[in-house]
Amino acid sequence: MSDEDSGASAAESASDLASSAGDRPGSFAFFSLIGDRFNAPGMPADTAKEVGFFREAILSVARQLWLDANLGRSRVPAGFAEAFDLRLTNVLRGSAEPQLLLNRTQRVSDEDWDEWVRFYEAARDSIAMGVPTVAVAPLDRDRTDLTEEARAARVLRNPAVVASLRKIGSTLEQAETVVLGSPLRAGPRVKLDHDMRLLLNPRLSDLGVTQSEQVSIEGVIVEYDGKTRSFRLEMLNGSATCSLTKDEARLSIQARDYLALDGFTAPDVVIIGETNNSVAKNIHIFSVHSIDIVRSVAEKMLIQQLQRIVELEDNWLGSGSEKPPEEIVERVRELVPALAALDIQISVVPSADGSVVLEARRGLVELSVAVEPNGEMFMCSDNVDTNELDEAQVDFDGSRLERFLRTGAIS
Amino acid sequence: MTASAPQDSILDTPSELLLRQVHPTHFTNGVVSSEAFKPSARDRDMLSTLRGHVGPDEAYRRWTEEKGFKSVGTYGVTVGEVVNENLKAVDDAAEVNEPDHVSIDFSQILSKARKKQAGRILRDAAKARGCLHAPK
């Protein structure tokens, strides 16, 4: 049987089984083990781990899908893995068909949960759609005219995903089959029988050994080695050792220019390069071909000051003092790029009445704007030489605030 | 404490130092904010200080250890500098039940800008004097 024949056969067989098995309302995924061993009630205890392999594979793919959808992020959000709480609640008679429910944890917000479930479901479907494609043809990573199945297959080339996919079906005997995928009859499902596994495993081996992937990660450059043309990027959760593309003097200059000798005072950058393992805590990125600033030092300083305000609690300055409400902090945060571009030193401080106060100095004039919880802002200019004062109490207006700090003009 | 403080509770020795703690969020880019020397309406326009004889170290200790608040250090302004801004330094230790407490009363200033300016001028005076005690 040719590769293509086998792939078509697997897809058809899965389709046949999807039709006969019908919908599984309330289930997160369809999962069925077929073979003599599975005809008795329940399922053999030593094959229960196949469910665990399936869960692990879905989570690996979901991670990759989330990172692909959030360029510049190197880690999925905290709790993303823990929230994927797949429960085996029952085993239907006939073939061993464990019912898999996704348990909602109360520790995740509605917004996060809704977003994450979409990635978990997309990952489940990507496995069902992508595995047959991986099995029958090598992946051409440069192609852009990809079918839905080929796009799904491309996600599966991540080494961590490959490692988890290889485990599925590994405990089964030659005559045994696992079918997995969507709980809906019309959704994608894949049948992993012995022939399919024979085709798939060498492909996965190739992917695991030779394929790298392009990654885009954000951080600050904290070390640079001119001899090896490499640098270390400190990220929010971990670090990356990065090697520059050869013969790109521009990149060496950028890496040096953006170097933070103290680990902070340098712009945040996004770099693009290749890696063989994007999920490691300390990853190696080679062929770095792009280094771009995403956040200037001035922006980082303002954000840091805002963060200190966010961390305040009520009564922070004595009994009755209020921390500025979140929406007031957010109003100022939205202005950070514009304020950073003013090229003047701005201090962002809290007031005991819950305002966020921006202070700057232009020559002999001290400028301040209190962004108040009542939706207004108070602007004040104070000449430290003549004590001349000007002031205005107006509705909050970000453009006017920015103009005031830029020009010193109240009106 | 209110603006109608008894006359004998108003401090009148110009050289007497009043000690003020500066919260870390009021110390950014190496600069003390004038917000550190300006009370809010919630404070009834009274700025808390301690009398100079307490000492900068002890004032810091009382604020951070006894009361559990944060401070980058103790700064000081004199009663004379307070009076120059048409403010009053009022001994209200008994009223607030805190030994050696003095409030600088901003309540006679009605303009928000003028209050901000008075805070700035006190800040400038304290800054010129330098930090009197900072934690090691």
Side-chain angles (χ1 to χ4, degrees):
Chain A
M1 183 162 48
S2 71
D3 288 0
E4 287 73 10
D5 288 343
S6 177
S9 166
E12 284 166 12
S13 299
S15 174
D16 291 342
L17 193 132
S19 301
S20 62
D23 289 347
R24 294 286 178 262
S27 293
F28 173 77
F30 181 85
F31 188 95
S32 180
L33 294 163
I34 302 167
D36 290 342
R37 277 200 298 161
F38 307 115
N39 290 333
M43 65 188 291
D46 62 346
T47 55
K49 63 178 72 167
E50 288 289 344
V51 177
F53 296 155
F54 184 35
R55 178 195 177 275
E56 185 183 331
I58 292 172
L59 190 54
S60 293
V61 176
R63 276 198 182 103
Q64 188 58 45
L65 290 172
W66 191 95
L67 292 172
D68 288 348
N70 293 275
L71 292 180
R73 296 287 298 271
S74 58
R75 293 284 182 275
V76 294
F80 185 86
E82 291 75 9
F84 187 51
D85 185 12
L86 200 58
R87 300 282 174 124
L88 195 163
T89 58
N90 189 16
V91 180
L92 295 186
R93 293 181 68 90
S95 56
E97 193 179 316
Q99 296 301 288
L100 301 175
L101 301 184
L102 187 55
N103 178 49
R104 166 77 196 268
T105 169
Q106 296 306 311
R107 288 193 294 272
V108 179
S109 69
D110 289 347
E111 187 182 347
D112 283 345
W113 176 255
D114 291 342
E115 184 206 6
W116 295 356
V117 166
R118 284 197 298 276
F119 282 101
Y120 302 149
E121 291 173 344
R124 174 201 64 205
D125 293 346
S126 290
I127 291 171
M129 286 191 292
V131 161
T133 307
V134 171
V136 298
L139 291 169
D140 183 350
R141 53 203 307 244
D142 296 322
R143 281 184 59 183
T144 55
D145 56 334
L146 296 175
T147 62
E148 193 176 5
E149 287 75 14
R151 278 199 301 275
R154 190 158 63 172
V155 177
L156 307 186
R157 65 185 164 79
N158 176 285
V161 173
V162 168
S164 60
L165 286 177
R166 292 177 73 170
K167 295 179 186 171
I168 298 179
S170 60
T171 69
L172 301 183
E173 295 171 6
Q174 187 166 337
E176 295 173 344
T177 295
V178 58
V179 181
L180 45 86
S182 168
L184 301 177
R185 180 199 302 244
R189 293 178 183 174
V190 62
K191 178 182 177 184
L192 280 169
D193 58 14
H194 181 67
D195 287 344
M196 182 68 140
R197 295 199 296 273
L198 278 182
L199 284 172
L200 184 63
N201 282 336
R203 299 280 192 220
L204 292 177
S205 297
D206 289 343
L207 287 170
V209 171
T210 62
Q211 292 290 328
S212 64
E213 61 176 319
Q214 182 166 291
V215 290
S216 164
I217 59 172
E218 180 182 321
V220 60
I221 299 173
V222 294
E223 288 174 13
Y224 175 75
D225 183 343
K227 190 174 178 183
T228 59
R229 288 173 44 79
S230 66
F231 59 88
R232 191 162 69 83
L233 191 76
E234 201 70 38
M235 302 174 295
L236 205 55
N237 299 309
S239 65
T241 304
C242 309
S243 305
L244 296 171
T245 301
K246 288 178 181 172
D247 307 323
E248 275 274 16
R250 172 184 57 88
L251 291 172
S252 298
I253 293 168
Q254 283 181 315
R256 279 200 306 271
D257 285 350
Y258 304 156
L259 174 62
L261 294 172
D262 61 358
F264 179 81
T265 314
D268 286 344
V269 295
V270 162
I271 66 147
I272 301 176
E274 303 279 319
T275 185
N276 287 326
N277 185 356
S278 64
V279 295
K281 185 166 175 61
N282 296 298
I283 66 177
H284 179 230
I285 299 174
F286 52 91
S287 300
V288 171
H289 56 83
S290 169
I291 306 175
D292 290 314
I293 292 176
V294 290
R295 204 168 294 110
S296 68
V297 173
E299 283 181 78
K300 288 172 68 175
M301 301 291 275
L302 290 170
I303 290 169
Q304 191 181 48
Q305 292 176 49
L306 281 170
Q307 187 55 36
R308 292 205 302 175
I309 294 174
V310 168
E311 291 166 2
L312 291 175
E313 295 177 354
D314 283 338
N315 302 316
W316 59 278
L317 196 62
S319 178
S321 54
E322 294 183 0
K323 66 172 286 187
E326 205 168 293
E327 59 267 28
I328 300 301
V329 176
E330 280 311 305
R331 276 188 169 169
V332 177
R333 197 190 300 275
E334 287 172 9
L335 296 174
V336 162
L339 297 176
L342 293 178
D343 204 24
I344 55 172
Q345 186 163 286
I346 298 174
S347 295
V348 186
V349 301
S351 165
D353 63 6
S355 300
V356 173
V357 183
L358 294 92
E359 297 177 326
R361 186 158 174 152
R362 286 202 168 276
L364 292 172
V365 179
E366 284 208 359
L367 307 172
S368 69
V369 185
V371 181
E372 299 175 342
N374 62 2
E376 297 182 354
M377 63 182 188
F378 173 70
M379 300 187 292
C380 177
S381 77
D382 174 12
N383 187 309
V384 302
D385 188 37
T386 64
N387 285 344
E388 182 185 353
L389 282 172
D390 199 0
E391 63 183 303
Q393 180 80 36
V394 296
D395 287 341
F396 175 79
D397 179 340
S399 301
R400 187 170 178 182
L401 186 159
E402 184 267 337
R403 190 169 61 247
F404 171 59
L405 293 179
R406 178 161 42 84
T407 66
I410 289 270
S411 54
Chain B
M1 192 66 215
T2 66
S4 58
Q7 199 62 33
D8 60 358
S9 65
I10 297 174
L11 306 188
D12 57 5
T13 305
S15 60
E16 180 169 0
L17 201 57
L18 303 175
L19 304 172
R20 172 75 180 164
Q21 301 303 316
V22 173
H23 192 271
T25 57
H26 287 154
F27 187 81
T28 57
N29 304 320
V31 176
V32 178
S33 165
S34 58
E35 285 295 314
F37 288 87
K38 182 180 83 65
S40 71
R42 296 203 166 270
D43 305 316
R44 294 178 299 134
D45 286 330
M46 307 294 267
L47 186 75
S48 282
T49 67
L50 290 182
R51 299 190 78 142
H53 66 76
V54 172
D57 301 20
E58 172 63 9
Y60 176 85
R61 191 196 66 76
R62 289 188 192 179
W63 181 251
T64 59
E65 292 182 21
E66 288 187 6
K67 302 182 108 180
F69 295 121
K70 293 180 178 173
S71 171
V72 294
T74 305
Y75 286 75
V77 295
T78 64
V79 170
E81 289 160 348
V82 170
V83 171
N84 282 346
E85 295 309 308
N86 294 319
L87 305 171
K88 293 175 191 163
V90 183
D91 180 344
D92 57 358
E95 190 170 333
V96 300
N97 195 28
E98 183 179 344
D100 309 306
H101 191 271
V102 172
S103 288
I104 300 176
D105 182 358
F106 281 61
S107 64
Q108 297 302 305
I109 302 177
L110 301 180
S111 154
K112 285 174 84 170
R114 177 69 191 103
K115 279 178 185 162
K116 181 74 175 172
Q117 184 178 61
R120 188 266 298 169
I121 291 172
L122 293 182
R123 184 276 316 271
D124 287 346
K127 184 181 164 190
R129 196 164 281 113
C131 183
L132 305 175
H133 170 78
K136 295 199 167 47

